[in-house]
Amino acid sequence: MADGQTQSSKRLRRYLTAPIDTHHADLPLLACCFVTGIIDAGAYNAWGTFMGMQTGTANLPGNGAPLKWLRSLLAIFSFMMGSLISSTVTRAFGSTRRLSLSLSFILQGLSILLTAIFITIDVIPENNTSSNRVLIGIPFLAWQFGAQVAASRALGYSEIPTTVLTSVYNDLASDPNLWSWKNAKRNRRAAAAVMVLVGGISGGWLSRIRDGFGIVLWIGGVIKVMIGVAWLGFGAAVT
């Protein structure tokens, strides 16, 4: 019986530590684009800053709004730390292994859900662009977007940056095979743009209702956790 348990443990360990087949890994990343759109729209309306689109965040202090410079710097720093820590840790343990991807995305989702809980119990104000307490929630949201981008790079889908569309628009317009019938990268770029747009519209609409930003975060957090669980079901890479 002990030998059977040992064999089962070894099989489970091999399964969890096996690199995934990245052939369909673009689908979870496209879901991440929706999460970026819905949370960034909600965060901008509620707190006056972006969490994922750091190009926009870098320009926000220019309008001179109180504390906006501090919120922007905190978002950028947290995003970069998320990228640094996530890429370093996942490289050490295997950036495309089932367990590494699963734990990374589940932690990202839990960070979003924790922020949603803070809003629900009024630790952080839901709609207040001048309260210092929003600084509590920014690191939880921004770091996980940094980790998200690091994962998209590790999976080999640079055409789906998941947080910013400027490069996507450029690559779409300058693609020499833009009008080709079969063009997987073009399709992914177009789908990423649509998913961010749909997420942004959804986040903006939800922000208009009571407790809207909290709802946005619950939706985004649940999607991220579901993605984390989904990585465990991906097939193994063929060696």
Side-chain angles (χ1 to χ4, degrees), residues 50-124:
F50 298 106
M51 299 295 119
M53 190 183 69
Q54 298 307 323
T55 303
T57 303
N59 289 307
L60 288 175
N63 66 10
L67 290 177
K68 185 154 285 190
W69 63 272
L70 181 57
R71 290 197 301 271
S72 297
L73 288 176
L74 181 59
I76 294 169
F77 176 78
S78 301
F79 181 95
M80 293 180 65
M81 290 303 296
S83 297
L84 172 64
I85 294 171
S86 177
S87 59
T88 301
V89 172
T90 54
R91 273 198 302 265
F93 291 97
S95 55
T96 62
R97 289 181 174 181
R98 289 189 182 101
L99 187 60
S100 297
L101 285 167
S102 179
L103 289 178
S104 175
F105 277 80
I106 288 174
L107 286 174
Q108 293 171 40
L110 292 177
S111 292
I112 300 172
L113 294 175
L114 182 60
T115 310
I117 292 171
F118 283 158
I119 289 175
T120 301
I121 63 177
D122 203 32
V123 172
I124 307 172

Side-chain angles (χ1 to χ4, degrees), residues 11 13 15 41 48-49 61 127 145 163 175 185 210 232:
R11 284 196 296 269
R13 189 180 303 113
Y15 182 84
T49 191
N127 288 291
F145 279 124
T163 57
D175 188 346
K185 287 191 174 184
R210 180 179 175 85
L232 296 176

